Amino acid sequence: MNRSGRIVAILAIIAVVVAGGVSWARASKAAPTNRLVVAGNARADIRTISAPALTYTVPDYTVGIPKPAGSNPAAMGTGSKRSAPSTAARSSQPVVSGRLTKVLVREGDHVDAGQVVAEFDTALLDLGVDAAEAAARKSRTDVSVIDGNLDDLDTASGKLADARTKMATAKASLLKARSTLTKARATLLSQRAKLRAAKAQRPQLEAALAALKAQAATFPPGSVPPALQAKIADLTKLLASIDPGLAAIAKGLAKVDTNLAKVEKGLASLPAASAKLSSAEAKLDDARTMLGNAKDVLGIVADGQSIGVQLAKARLAQATVRAPYAGTVTFARRSNTVAMVGAPLVRVAADGVQRVDTYLTADQVARVTIGSEADVTYDSAPGTTLHGAVATISSAYVFPPTSFPTQIVHMTRAVKVTIELDEGDTAPPGTPVDVSIHTD
């Protein structure tokens, strides 16, 4: 642009500013001194309910295990050669929400907060919940199986403890039997020594017995002294018991030795049996440790599967779209259509106090405070005056939008002021209005 062109543009801008100032001055002169009359716009508080990003479970028919949508099994090849994933497989975010099976509201309907307004097809989401619940049941069953195995180990451990107790009792019995047999053997050996000594003296004992009997013959019948009779009887009995006694002692010693051998054999077998018990106890302890670790891992898996069930149910709940606020429906999508993620499903004009926006210059905003009363009129309702008060005054100066109906030149910085109308006073959303703010 040459110099003359720039001058013309500057002059045009100055002319626009001057014209705007003149028109504003005329409007100000026409208004009462305790009123600030400006243009405004009835805010269209329309809120949009968009299609959610639903994550569907995709069944893997090769192994029958569902996997999240967007996974790429083709990229999981063996070795260093892997096929390149497709664009759809690389995308982790769903693009299509799904098919709308029901839209339960129409334009003009009033909805409450939390009311169901639309429903998506839930066939795959139901499958995801079923699969997650089946996996959770299997995980809990695995934990129960481990608990059963641990109970079996406890039973086996109890049996080993009983066996060790019985072994200790048997050892005590064998030691006691060995002591008894050893004492009996010593007694038999002592008796055998005495009998052998008597047998070695048999000739002398027989001679002594003959002498005693000869002495007794010198007495008249029936007058043999009792002492002499007793000696003859004892000596006779001793000579008669030597051979049978030696035979009985020999038999008793043989039996004692046999029993002692059995006792020694039993005692000798106890260390090996104890070692086997110790080995079995060690194996049971190792098995218990491994099963305990497995139970901990499976418990973590079961907890994760429970979270998976909650996640699947949360995904299913997303397929039921609810109104987050109350209001009047201004747009509703048709049923049996496919919705993209983020696409508008329902638009709602929210209930509540209606607001009117306007822009004030620095001089004007200095005359206004929060709570200043305001009157609002609009052309489509002649003679109707709405009442309200200033609710907010922005702290920033901005250029009013070119589409905003204001008398302020749009190249002039201004402050946005919002007026809340009294309950029951409403204007059609988006309607240009005239605002009269009380400044007294």
Side-chain angles (χ1 to χ4, degrees):
M1 182 182 291
N2 56 25
R3 181 178 180 183
S4 60
R6 287 197 298 271
I7 293 174
V8 170
I10 293 172
L11 291 175
I13 292 172
I14 293 173
V16 171
V17 172
V18 171
V22 171
S23 61
W24 174 248
R26 289 176 180 175
S28 299
K29 289 179 181 179
T33 57
N34 64 341
R35 297 286 191 277
L36 187 60
V37 180
V38 293
N41 190 48
R43 183 185 298 180
D45 196 5
I46 305 297
R47 304 182 186 181
T48 301
I49 304 173
S50 303
L54 300 179
T55 303
Y56 292 95
T57 299
V58 179
D60 185 352
Y61 295 103
T62 58
V63 295
I65 301 175
K67 58 184 182 298
S71 60
N72 182 27
M76 302 303 292
T78 58
S80 59
K81 295 182 180 180
R82 296 186 180 183
S83 58
S86 65
T87 303
R90 288 195 302 267
S91 177
S92 60
Q93 296 295 330
V95 177
V96 178
S97 286
R99 184 175 64 87
L100 273 171
T101 57
K102 294 180 183 179
V103 177
L104 304 174
V105 295
R106 295 181 296 178
E107 294 180 7
D109 291 347
H110 185 273
V111 295
D112 297 322
Q115 179 178 336
V116 177
V117 296
E119 294 178 354
F120 283 90
D121 180 18
T122 61
L124 285 177
L125 295 173
D126 290 334
L127 175 63
V129 173
D130 293 341
E133 289 178 342
R137 285 194 298 271
K138 182 180 181 303
S139 297
R140 290 193 294 269
T141 301
D142 292 341
V143 174
S144 298
V145 170
I146 294 294
D147 285 333
N149 291 335
L150 286 171
D151 290 340
D152 293 340
L153 287 181
D154 290 337
T155 301
S157 180
K159 291 181 178 179
L160 288 179
D162 292 342
R164 187 169 290 281
T165 300
K166 292 179 180 179
M167 183 179 297
T169 302
K171 182 178 181 180
S173 299
L174 289 174
L175 291 174
K176 183 178 180 180
R178 184 173 66 178
S179 176
T180 302
L181 289 173
T182 301
K183 291 179 180 179
R185 192 172 190 278
T187 301
L188 289 174
L189 289 175
S190 175
Q191 292 176 353
R192 187 180 67 176
K194 291 179 180 179
L195 288 177
R196 284 181 175 178
K199 185 175 182 179
Q201 297 177 358
R202 183 187 292 273
Q204 292 86 349
L205 293 175
E206 289 178 347
L209 178 59
L212 290 173
K213 288 181 176 180
Q215 185 180 357
T218 61
F219 291 95
S223 61
V224 179
L228 182 59
Q229 292 179 3
K231 288 181 179 180
I232 293 173
D234 292 339
L235 191 54
T236 301
K237 184 177 180 181
L238 174 62
L239 289 172
S241 65
I242 289 177
D243 291 334
L246 288 173
I249 288 174
K251 186 177 180 181
L253 284 173
K255 187 175 181 180
V256 168
D257 290 340
T258 301
N259 290 331
L260 278 174
K262 291 179 179 180
V263 168
E264 295 298 337
K265 184 178 180 180
L267 290 172
S269 66
L270 288 178
S274 179
K276 289 181 179 180
L277 284 178
S278 298
S279 176
E281 288 171 346
K283 290 179 180 179
L284 284 179
D285 290 339
D286 292 341
R288 185 181 290 104
T289 300
M290 289 188 292
L291 286 176
N293 293 337
K295 181 182 177 181
D296 292 340
V297 173
L298 290 177
I300 295 172
V301 173
D303 292 340
Q305 295 293 356
S306 298
I307 295 174
V309 172
Q310 297 175 5
L311 179 60
K313 290 182 177 180
R315 291 171 178 168
L316 177 61
Q318 281 186 300
T320 301
V321 182
R322 300 178 182 273
Y325 29 71
T328 302
V329 176
T330 61
F331 165 79
R333 196 181 185 92
R334 291 178 300 167
S335 301
N336 296 317
T337 58
V338 176
M340 307 298 288
V341 174
L345 300 180
V346 177
R347 289 192 177 95
V348 178
D351 291 343
V353 177
Q354 189 173 21
R355 295 172 177 81
V356 173
D357 296 326
T358 187
Y359 286 88
L360 303 181
T361 63
D363 293 339
Q364 293 171 336
V365 78
R367 302 170 58 190
V368 177
T369 61
I370 299 293
S372 295
E373 296 182 3
D375 300 324
V376 177
T377 60
Y378 53 100
D379 294 341
S380 59
T384 300
T385 301
L386 309 178
H387 303 284
V390 174
T392 60
I393 300 175
S394 176
S395 60
Y397 284 85
V398 297
F399 293 112
T402 56
S403 60
F404 193 84
T406 176
Q407 296 171 340
I408 301 174
V409 177
H410 288 282
M411 294 186 63
T412 303
R413 291 183 179 274
V415 174
K416 185 177 181 180
V417 175
T418 300
I419 296 161
E420 288 188 355
L421 298 180
D422 293 344
E423 185 176 356
D425 286 356
T426 59
T431 301
V433 297
D434 295 321
V435 181
S436 176
I437 303 176
H438 298 218
T439 60
D440 46 16

